[in-house]
């Protein structure tokens, strides 16, 4: 997906900002944004036209936003131009416009920062919120060294042999138990032999380096999408009683349902048990928590430290404290925490340090902070994780609250006085 990063940056205070955006409406905004874009491009069918009409008539704010978009001289030509690159881009832009409607009251309170906030939107679409704002700001170029990640991984076989997967086009290996390991393109698939058992399980480990990602299909059909700096250890063939894997890092699991064999993901401090479900697990080493976000199905989280269990429902997130073993559960929009699998990174009222922890894993960069307070500056936004990091840094700096310096692949942040 191609989209301009941080359309709705909100770095205006070191204290957490309360925004009227409801995360549960995230999918609704995308749907309405799609309809507006299709109408502009004359691609609406009758059913979609009625949906859009109903939304417009729902409130005066909706009607005003729609009218402004349609009356913008540059809007249609801009979306058509973006469409040549990627159909999804147009409605990504409009999504952020709709998001702005939920922040009108908030923006009025911080009007002096409006130019910095809306500048990237104006550049992308030619849309005007409150008069003409100059776009002649200097575009800063920070680094030609920092690049986004790519598909790459190392496969470690049971005998210790290491295969660099990104340097191999196609691969076919037969393990001792008859399991066929096939690499085609950017995917690794395990195909189990029929009725062939061995007394001792055979394990493989896939290691994703900094700035990497990889997908694999386990022998039961479960799909695993692995993020940067992650390791997954798994048997090439599961036993007849259970399916167990070990994770360090972040992965999205799409688990095949098997009532007779629960699927268990082991981390350093917690175990996640499921039968068939989709969930995201963030369990990086050297952190103080493990975050489990459920998309569909159900999962049971077992704490090794306290021996307690908690159940998750869809669109719930469990944050397990590794220091005391306690797990807190909250309601979330799960799509925000799985967007990375589709090439997006979404942050909602997130600390700069937490954002940069994610970005530096993917961009193979380092982040340093001249003062502790700058770590707590907060942003919300959506960005293309395959895009240029310089665009992201330009938007961060345009908020007027932080200074950014670059030395090779190290990004240095400080707070503006």
């Amino acid at each position: 997906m191609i989209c301009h990063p941080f359309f709705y940056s909100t770095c205006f205070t070191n204290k957490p900002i309360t925004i009227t955006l409801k995360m549960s409406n995230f999918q609704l905004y995308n749907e309405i944004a799609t309809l507006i874009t299709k109408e502009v491009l004359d691609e609406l069918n009758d059913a979609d036209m009625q949906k859009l009409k109903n939304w417009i008539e729902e409130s005066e704010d909706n009607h005003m936003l729609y009218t402004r978009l349609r009356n913008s001289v540059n809007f249609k030509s801009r979306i058509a131009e973006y469409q040549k690159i990627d159909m999804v881009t147009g409605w990504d832009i409009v999504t952020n416009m709709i998001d702005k409607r939920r922040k009108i009251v908030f923006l009025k309170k911080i009007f002096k920062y409006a130019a910095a906030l809306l500048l990237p939107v104006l550049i992308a679409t030619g849309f005007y919120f409150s008069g003409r704002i100059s776009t002649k700001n200097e575009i800063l170029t920070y680094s030609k060294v920092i690049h986004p990640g790519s598909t790459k991984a190392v496969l470690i076989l049971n005998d210790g042999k290491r295969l660099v997967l990104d340097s191999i086009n196609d691969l076919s290996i037969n393990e001792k138990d008859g399991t066929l390991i096939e690499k085609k393109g950017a995917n690794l698939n395990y195909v189990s032999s029929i009725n062939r058992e061995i007394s001792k399980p055979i394990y493989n480990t896939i290691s994703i380096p900094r700035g990497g990602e990889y997908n694999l299909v386990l022998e039961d059909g479960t799909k695993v999408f692995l993020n940067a700096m992650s390791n997954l250890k798994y048997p090439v063939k599961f036993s007849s009683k259970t399916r167990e894997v070990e994770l360090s890092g972040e992965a999205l699991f799409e688990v095949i349902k098997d009532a007779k064999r629960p699927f268990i993901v082991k981390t350093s401090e917690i175990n996640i048990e499921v039968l068939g479900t989709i969930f995201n697990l963030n369990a990086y080493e050297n952190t103080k928590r493990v975050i489990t976000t459920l998309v569909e199905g159900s999962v049971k989280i077992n704490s090794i430290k306290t021996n307690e269990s908690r159940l998750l429902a869809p669109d719930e997130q469990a944050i397990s404290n590794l220091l005391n073993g306690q797990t807190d559960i909250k309601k979330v929009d799960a799509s925000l925490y799985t967007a990375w699998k589709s090439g997006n990174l979404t942050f909602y009222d997130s600390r700069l340090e937490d954002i940069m922890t994610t970005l530096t894993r993917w961009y193979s960069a380092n982040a340093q902070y001249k003062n502790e307070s700058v770590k707590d500056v907060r942003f919300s936004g959506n960005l293309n994780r395959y895009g240029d990091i310089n665009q992201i840094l330009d938007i961060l700096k345009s908020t007027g609250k932080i200074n950014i310096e670059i030395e090779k692949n190290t990004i240095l942040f400080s707070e503006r006085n």
Side-chain angles (χ1 to χ4, degrees):
M1 180 181 293
I2 302 172
C3 60
H4 200 292
F6 285 97
F7 279 109
Y8 43 100
S9 302
T10 56
C11 174
F12 305 108
T13 175
N14 291 341
K15 299 180 180 179
I17 297 173
T18 301
I19 302 174
T20 56
L21 168 65
K22 294 182 179 179
M23 297 175 69
S24 59
N25 290 333
F26 188 77
Q27 293 178 344
L28 171 63
Y29 296 156
N30 279 347
E31 181 182 3
I32 297 302
T34 303
L35 297 179
I36 295 176
T37 304
K38 283 184 176 180
E39 188 196 36
V40 172
L41 298 173
D42 299 321
E43 296 177 357
L44 269 186
N45 58 36
D46 291 341
D48 287 342
M49 187 175 297
Q50 186 60 47
K51 285 183 183 178
L52 180 58
K53 181 180 178 182
N54 292 341
W55 177 80
I56 294 171
E57 295 176 350
E58 185 179 286
S59 71
E60 183 63 25
D61 283 344
N62 290 357
H63 184 270
M64 290 176 60
L65 175 61
Y66 171 79
T67 301
R68 285 188 175 186
L69 284 169
R70 292 296 282 152
N71 291 341
S72 173
V73 175
N74 295 327
F75 184 68
K76 184 172 181 177
S77 61
R78 289 290 186 178
I79 290 184
E81 182 179 334
Y82 273 100
Q83 189 190 31
K84 295 177 183 178
I85 304 173
D86 191 330
M87 265 293 292
V88 182
T89 302
W91 64 262
D92 269 340
I93 294 169
V94 186
T95 298
N96 291 285
M97 302 265 189
I98 295 173
D99 179 29
K100 294 293 188 302
R101 176 179 63 84
R102 300 289 179 178
K103 299 179 187 173
I104 290 175
V105 175
F106 173 70
L107 287 176
K108 286 179 180 178
K109 294 180 180 179
I110 53 166
F111 183 77
K112 64 180 180 179
Y113 298 106
L117 177 70
L118 300 179
L119 178 60
V121 180
L122 297 173
I123 293 173
T125 67
F127 181 76
Y128 292 78
F129 261 87
S130 54
R132 186 180 300 272
I133 300 176
S134 173
T135 61
K136 294 183 180 180
N137 286 22
E138 179 183 3
I139 301 300
L140 304 175
T141 300
Y142 292 102
S143 174
K144 296 181 179 180
V145 177
I146 303 173
H147 303 287
S150 60
T151 302
K152 51 188 174 184
V154 176
L155 176 63
I156 306 171
L157 301 176
N158 193 63
D159 61 4
K161 184 178 180 181
R162 302 170 68 92
L163 300 173
V164 181
L165 297 179
D166 42 303
S167 65
I168 303 173
N169 292 326
D170 292 317
L171 175 69
S172 182
I173 299 175
N174 280 293
E175 274 285 10
K176 292 180 180 179
D177 66 349
T179 300
L180 177 63
I181 306 172
E182 291 184 311
K183 177 191 181 294
K184 293 184 179 179
N187 296 287
L188 196 64
N189 299 309
Y190 285 76
V191 182
S192 175
S193 61
I194 300 175
N195 297 325
R196 186 171 179 181
E197 294 281 352
I198 61 172
S199 58
K200 188 177 181 180
I202 296 174
Y203 288 93
N204 281 183
T205 299
I206 187 167
S207 179
I208 316 300
R210 196 179 193 193
E213 63 179 358
Y214 217 84
N215 306 332
L216 74 153
V217 181
L218 302 176
E219 66 90 13
D220 67 333
T222 292
K223 296 179 181 179
V224 186
F225 306 87
L226 287 151
N227 210 344
M229 297 179 69
S230 300
N231 292 282
L232 184 74
K233 183 179 179 180
Y234 50 94
V236 299
K237 184 175 182 178
F238 291 116
S239 73
S240 59
K241 295 181 179 180
T242 188
R243 298 171 290 168
E244 295 186 2
V245 301
E246 298 176 22
L247 174 70
S248 170
E250 183 173 27
L252 176 67
F253 292 87
E254 296 183 2
V255 179
I256 293 295
K257 188 172 183 178
D258 187 341
K260 295 181 179 179
R261 297 188 300 171
F263 192 96
I264 299 173
V265 184
K266 294 184 175 182
T267 72
S268 60
E269 297 292 339
I270 68 169
N271 296 329
I272 294 89
E273 181 178 344
V274 303
L275 293 177
T277 187
I278 300 176
F279 66 99
N280 192 82
L281 181 60
N282 186 313
Y284 282 101
E285 294 181 355
N286 302 320
T287 61
K288 298 178 181 179
R289 59 186 185 175
V290 172
I291 303 173
T292 309
T293 308
L294 184 60
V295 179
E296 65 179 55
S298 64
V299 302
K300 182 167 69 172
I301 300 170
N302 302 312
S303 171
I304 297 174
K305 188 182 292 290
T306 64
N307 203 31
E308 293 180 345
S309 297
R310 301 289 299 273
L311 289 176
L312 276 188
D315 278 329
E316 286 187 341
Q317 182 179 82
I319 302 176
S320 302
N321 188 314
L322 301 186
L323 298 179
N324 58 25
Q326 293 183 352
T327 296
D328 295 320
I329 295 177
K330 64 179 181 179
K331 194 74 174 177
V332 298
D333 182 344
S335 65
L336 300 180
Y337 298 89
T338 60
W340 64 268
K341 175 213 160 189
S342 302
N344 290 317
L345 291 173
T346 302
F347 302 102
Y348 182 79
D349 193 29
S350 300
R351 298 172 61 251
L352 175 63
E353 184 181 31
D354 294 335
I355 292 173
M356 292 310 302
T357 295
T358 298
L359 293 182
T360 52
R361 288 190 190 116
W362 177 243
Y363 283 92
S364 298
N366 300 313
Q368 294 183 4
Y369 308 90
K370 285 189 175 180
N371 42 12
E372 288 296 313
S373 60
V374 74
K375 295 180 180 180
D376 293 321
V377 176
R378 292 181 177 266
F379 296 86
S380 292
N382 178 59
L383 60 96
N384 170 22
R385 83 192 215 121
Y386 300 107
D388 188 345
I389 197 171
N390 289 327
Q391 293 179 324
I392 301 169
L393 299 180
D394 283 335
I395 302 305
L396 292 178
K397 189 169 183 178
S398 73
T399 62
K401 291 296 294 184
I402 58 175
N403 292 312
I404 301 175
E405 301 172 52
I406 295 288
E407 181 63 36
K408 294 184 179 180
N409 74 328
T410 299
I411 308 169
L412 181 62
F413 294 94
S414 59
E415 218 171 349
R416 287 189 185 178
N417 298 323

